[in-house]
């Protein structure tokens, strides 16, 4: 088979102190620093800048029957808060 069609799997070794990109969840695409790794190498501890949403929650989240309303599919509520360190004075 031609070498163009063969894919070589890259073996990535993650060590404490190295930098990684988060691929899933709320922090997708953010940069994080590896702090510790479990012995089996499956779990890692990361240090990253949080995305704290300081906007107040909607008090009318329940409808008349007391059940939760469904969230809107798209719009301003789906925006991620910006990355920033916590400031007590804000």
């Amino acid at each position: 088979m031609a070498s163009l069609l063969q894919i070589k799997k890259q073996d990535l070794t993650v060590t404490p102190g190295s930098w990684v990109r988060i691929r899933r969840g709320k922090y997708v695409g953010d940069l994080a620093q590896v702090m510790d790794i479990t012995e089996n190498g499956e779990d890692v501890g990361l240090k990253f800048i949080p995305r704290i949403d300081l906007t107040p929650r909607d008090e009318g989240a329940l409808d008349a029957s007391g059940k939760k309303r469904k969230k809107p599919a798209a719009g301003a509520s789906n925006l991620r808060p910006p990355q920033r360190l916590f400031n007590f004075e804000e």
Side-chain angles (χ1 to χ4, degrees):
M1 182 178 276
S3 62
L4 272 178
L5 301 177
Q6 293 178 349
I7 299 173
K8 295 180 182 177
K9 185 175 179 180
Q10 294 179 347
D11 246 354
L12 299 176
T13 56
V14 179
T15 58
S18 62
W19 294 90
V20 294
R21 277 269 171 218
I22 300 175
R23 290 191 178 187
R24 290 188 228 148
K26 184 178 183 179
Y27 300 97
V28 65
D30 291 353
L31 196 61
Q33 185 177 19
V34 177
M35 298 307 293
D36 61 344
I37 303 172
T38 58
E39 290 179 12
N40 61 6
E42 291 183 3
D43 296 324
V44 296
L46 299 176
K47 179 171 72 171
F48 56 93
I49 298 177
R51 293 183 179 270
I52 301 173
D53 188 8
L54 297 176
T55 58
R57 297 280 177 154
D58 183 16
E59 294 296 326
L62 301 176
D63 63 4
S65 63
K67 296 181 181 178
K68 288 185 177 180
R69 290 188 295 169
K70 291 186 178 180
K71 293 181 182 179
S77 64
N78 286 348
L79 296 176
R80 292 192 319 174
Q83 282 184 313
R84 62 181 174 164
L85 299 173
F86 181 73
N87 186 357
F88 180 73
E89 296 161 354
E90 288 183 13

